[in-house]
Amino acid sequence: MNIRDVAKKAGVAPITVSRCINDSGYCSPEARIRIEAAISELGFVPNRLASGLRSKRTKTIALVVTDITNPFFTTIARAVEDTAGEAGYTVIFSNTDEDPLKEKKYIQMLLEQRVGGIILVPAQSTPDSASFIRQHETPIVILDRRIDNFKADFVRCDSEQGAYQLMSMLLSLGHRDIAILSGPVGVSTSEDRVAGCKRAISEAKAGNLNIQTFYGPFTQQSGYDMSIKVMAKHPRPTAIFAANNFIAIGALKALQAVNVRVPEDVAIVAFDDLPQALITFPFLTVASQPAYEMGKKAAEILLSKLSNENETGFQEIVLPAEIIIRQSSGSPVKP
Ligand code: RIB
């Protein structure tokens, strides 16, 4: 989409649109109203850089993540910056807090700055933001999560299989009363992890199962609140599956607050490891995502698209999680 599309929609000459957008010459009030209406209807993003750069993109890429405080995304950011830097690119980091409106605001800004390409961790599984980026002819790689009905390059970890392995472990240890604490509905990693748990449960064909599934934000507070609720149930679950590291940390804090021991009273397993540098005593049994490799691969795919503009076709890279068994999953449940 370009200035000519806006001019056609507004019924004015392209030069009038350019003067209006850049305030670089006369543009009648009537024309300005029609041009602004056309820009809004088309979702056009004006190019804010000097006209000399109009057709060129900057040697900058952007990484848009949902929670920059999460070590998983920090590791991804490190990998993207290392890979882009080696290729002579700089990286703009944006944090959306899982908020689709904030995501759209950042994407609008990045397109106006004419970034070369965008690596996006989408706040939702809908294609709105990714489609908006593509409409503005900007290369995109979707990282960590899936988007429905949108063809693109994807790099993610196999959430469904990793969750399947963790849940299968809990069932093989004899747990029958299990709480699944997941992230938000409408986010693929949250839903894929629940799906993996459910596949393990259906394959186990175990009797007298009591499985409770909860959804909430991927935050420590959510993990805490869900766990307090779960621990108040009777009978109390003997195991918890946490769909990411922050939910797991919140759950551990809640169990401690109600004097429930891990794993003696309740076993806990989680998606995502925590960087060893952050914890003195690795305790959690986890499905560890190859975060650095995911970030590196996403950056390599994007940079390859930038250097070969006629490169067509898309890749979907799905990397396995590594199951690391530690103390938190405990030993077999006494019958
Ligand atoms: O902790 C980060 C992980 O959990 C990522 O996979 C993110 O999508 C969330 O699901």
Side-chain angles (χ1 to χ4, degrees):
M1 188 184 309
N2 55 40
I3 275 184
R4 283 184 297 283
D5 299 314
V6 174
K8 190 170 170 209
K9 181 89 177 169
V12 299
I15 185 64
T16 308
V17 176
S18 176
R19 283 202 300 263
C20 170
I21 288 175
N22 299 309
D23 290 330
S24 56
Y26 179 69
C27 173
S28 71
E30 299 76 15
R32 183 174 295 278
I33 290 168
R34 293 209 307 273
I35 289 166
E36 286 172 355
I39 286 174
S40 168
E41 274 177 60
L42 292 171
F44 173 68
V45 174
N47 166 26
R48 296 288 179 213
L49 293 182
S51 57
L53 293 176
R54 196 175 303 285
S55 57
K56 293 194 191 70
R57 293 191 182 282
T58 59
K59 281 208 77 170
T60 302
I61 62 171
L63 171 62
V64 181
V65 299
T66 54
D67 184 350
I68 199 72
T69 66
N70 189 322
F72 169 80
F73 290 119
T74 313
T75 304
I76 278 186
R78 176 75 271 167
V80 169
E81 215 275 331
D82 288 346
T83 309
E86 278 168 24
Y89 278 78
T90 53
V91 185
I92 295 175
F93 297 104
S94 301
N95 176 57
T96 63
D97 291 328
E98 307 278 1
D99 177 351
L101 293 178
K102 198 170 175 186
E103 179 181 275
K104 188 74 183 283
K105 187 188 78 171
Y106 267 118
I107 288 171
Q108 174 99 14
M109 177 275 289
L110 293 167
L111 293 173
E112 288 178 9
Q113 297 303 321
R114 303 293 281 166
V115 292
I118 296 176
I119 298 172
L120 174 67
V121 176
Q124 285 183 311
S125 306
T126 53
D128 307 43
S129 289
S131 305
F132 188 70
I133 293 169
R134 179 153 298 158
Q135 278 166 21
H136 291 85
E137 293 145 14
T138 299
I140 180 174
V141 175
I142 308 296
L143 176 58
D144 176 48
R145 298 172 177 180
R146 289 183 291 100
I147 285 184
D148 302 329
N149 312 316
F150 187 75
K151 291 202 177 313
D153 294 301
F154 288 90
V155 178
R156 60 186 171 86
C157 177
D158 193 341
S159 283
E160 197 275 354
Q161 177 61 20
Y164 170 84
Q165 290 173 278
L166 288 177
M167 182 54 77
S168 298
M169 180 202 311
L170 290 177
L171 292 164
S172 65
L173 286 171
H175 293 286
R176 294 295 177 269
D177 202 331
I178 303 171
I180 300 170
L181 310 182
S182 196
V185 173
V187 173
S188 69
T189 44
S190 173
E191 296 182 347
D192 289 353
R193 289 166 197 168
V194 171
C197 288
K198 291 191 170 169
R199 179 164 66 94
I201 289 161
S202 64
E203 284 185 9
K205 294 190 176 52
N208 66 334
L209 275 173
N210 177 22
I211 307 290
Q212 303 169 71
T213 304
F214 298 84
Y215 292 91
F218 276 124
T219 61
Q220 294 188 36
Q221 188 59 52
S222 176
Y224 185 95
D225 296 342
M226 290 191 283
S227 300
I228 292 291
K229 208 180 294 179
V230 159
M231 286 298 118
K233 302 252 181 199
H234 299 288
R236 190 173 68 189
T238 62
I240 286 176
F241 170 94
N244 93 324
N245 49 14
F246 278 3
I247 290 175
I249 293 169
L252 288 170
K253 287 177 179 172
L255 297 179
Q256 190 179 38
V258 295
N259 300 315
V260 169
R261 298 168 302 165
V262 178
E264 295 80 355
D265 302 328
V266 172
I268 184 166
V269 298
F271 225 90
D272 294 324
D273 202 358
L274 288 167
Q276 299 315 305
L278 290 183
I279 43 175
T280 50
F281 171 52
F283 168 72
L284 269 177
T285 290
V286 295
S288 176
Q289 299 194 72
Y292 191 92
E293 191 183 348
M294 290 164 70
K296 182 171 186 291
K297 197 69 197 156
E300 287 170 346
I301 291 172
L302 185 64
L303 294 172
S304 163
K305 287 280 161 85
L306 291 178
S307 47
N308 319 301
E309 296 239 334
N310 344 335
E311 190 180 310
T312 55
F314 299 116
Q315 308 176 55
E316 181 167 21
I317 312 276
V318 183
L319 300 171
E322 180 194 357
I323 302 300
I324 306 173
I325 299 176
R326 302 192 180 107
Q327 287 80 350
S328 72
S329 45
S331 45
V333 176
K334 294 177 184 57

